[in-house]
Amino acid sequence: MIGDMPKRDPLTRDRVLRGAVTLADARGIAALTIRSLADGLGVKPMAVYHHVASKEEILDGIVDLVFGEIGAGIEPPAPADGWRDQVRRRAASARDVLRRHPWAVPLLESRTAPGAATLRHHDTTLAVLRRAGFPVALAANAYALLDSYVYGFVIQEAALPSDDPGGATADIMGSFRPDEYPHLVEMAVEHIMKPGYTFGAGFHFGLDLILDGLEQALKRVAPP
Amino acid sequence: MIGDMPKRDPLTRDRVLRGAVTLADARGIAALTIRSLADGLGVKPMAVYHHVASKEEILDGIVDLVFGEIGAGIEPPAPADGWRDQVRRRAASARDVLRRHPWAVPLLESRTAPGAATLRHHDTTLAVLRRAGFPVALAANAYALLDSYVYGFVIQEAALPSDDPGGATADIMGSFRPDEYPHLVEMAVEHIMKPGYTFGAGFHFGLDLILDGLEQALKRVAPP
DNA sequence: ACCTGAACACCGTTCAAGT
DNA sequence: ACCTGAACACCGTTCAAGT
């Protein structure tokens, strides 16, 4: 051969998964195909199969990568913080992360087994609740509630026409015949179209309401 | 021709969509292809395109069909009922319906415009809140919270290994190394593996907690 | 008006082969 | 050990054709 090509660093399972996340973020989960992924990695499609067994394994892998991001940017859990602050920070981090990867929550439905980062995330959150005095059964209910809220909120955010501050949503809703959907029209005109409205701002309303309710439930089973 | 074949009733948009729901329920959303759908309808693939413009339109259509089921089996809204009962019944109905069609919530992320049944469902729920005295902004927050909870809970239920009463989930979680995920193991052993446990039973804990919180929020803005 | 056959540009994946 | 080419059984969809 003529000269030494700058040897491209070899493909790894990690590079495959990170490439998949980048592609899904940029062009949507439907555009994530083995062929386009290989293209992005500068490699032929079949090279991918040397590092993952199947596309299913890629989907499992990128979901776990995303869960690994949750709590990464959070200041270390100052032990003086109450459980409320810790849970709120983690829930807010989960929502931030999942909103950046809007394809992740829908994928949960079809995943078989959660990955290591996902399990660690769940374990960490449960730890906060248990240490705060939540009995096991209440901690289970609390955690299912918190996760449901975060997942569901993210799904709704992802389903919005765009991330614009209500503009498109309001235009659509405001164009309905008022006699057909009177309350949707009212909501569009009197709320969503107001300057400064964002759907996302409602996240903290629900989160704080849930935390208040959990605090009361905890006091009921374990009076201070 | 030899004789009159019993003329198969002609394909319609409605039969296409109902066939798609049946197929997705039975074999999963991934198995819903134009070809298998046509097979189930006793027709060639291309016949489907005479009644819907694209597969995307089918997905939009079946999501709206599902939302049309919500509230269908509910007793008429006895005007004497409080908003709490009405909202609780509708949320429970939504969860029942969405659980029977576990592919529906994940589809929400990629839908562009909601259908007529979906809009009617939203309008009806908002009506209950507004009539109960929720100001527009509070009604918006309340509704986002309720929907998030229902969607997220359904996603988690769908992601469970099966609908069995914790068996498979507990087996998996109980098999972790206790030093790696101590709280997950504790939860499996002391809670999920107990006889009579079901994840779904937690739905009413969260729903009632949310309704309590909304009741307090309503009292705060509009004292009785 | 409604359905079909053949074709096109895609998929994920297998297998045998290259270095 | 790692990558590739050719092939297979699928996709959604177009187009021209049948009744």
Side-chain angles (χ1 to χ4, degrees), chain A residues 33-35 46 49 55:
Chain A
T33 68
I34 299 285
R35 284 157 149 98
M46 293 317 107
Y49 283 92
K55 185 169 178 184

Side-chain angles (χ1 to χ4, degrees), chain B residues 113-137:
Chain B
T118 305
L119 294 171
R120 196 164 348 270
H121 163 64
H122 291 329
D123 201 77
T124 303
T125 307
L126 277 178
V128 174
L129 295 172
R130 292 288 286 126
R131 254 184 251 124
F134 283 78
V136 174

Side-chain angles (χ1 to χ4, degrees), chain A residues 147-162:
Chain A
D147 259 8
S148 295
Y149 178 60
V150 171
Y151 293 165
F153 197 92
V154 168
I155 281 259
Q156 289 194 77
E157 271 188 303
L160 292 180
S162 137

Side-chain angles (χ1 to χ4, degrees), chain B residues 56-70:
Chain B
E56 278 297 295
E57 194 179 302
I58 293 178
L59 297 181
D60 283 340
I62 60 179
V63 165
D64 203 50
L65 262 188
V66 167
F67 272 85
E69 289 182 34
I70 298 174

Side-chain angles (χ1 to χ4, degrees), chain B residues 21-53:
Chain B
V21 168
T22 303
L23 183 55
D25 287 347
R27 307 207 276 124
I29 193 73
L32 173 59
T33 67
I34 299 286
R35 284 159 149 97
S36 63
L37 173 57
D39 247 33
L41 294 166
V43 100
K44 298 295 169 192
M46 292 316 109
V48 169
Y49 284 93
H50 220 269
H51 300 93
V52 295

Side-chain angles (χ1 to χ4, degrees), chain A residues 96-155:
Chain A
D96 283 343
V97 167
L98 293 171
R99 187 157 61 134
R100 286 202 301 272
H101 310 290
W103 40 265
V105 171
L107 276 186
L108 291 178
E109 186 248 336
S110 52
R111 293 312 90 204
T112 49
T118 304
L119 294 171
R120 196 164 346 271
H121 163 64
H122 291 328
D123 201 78
T124 303
T125 307
L126 278 178
V128 174
L129 295 173
R130 293 287 288 125
R131 254 184 252 124
F134 283 78
V136 174
L138 183 58
N141 280 334
Y143 194 38
L145 167 54
L146 285 162
D147 259 8
S148 295
Y149 178 60
V150 171
Y151 293 165
F153 197 92
V154 168
I155 281 259

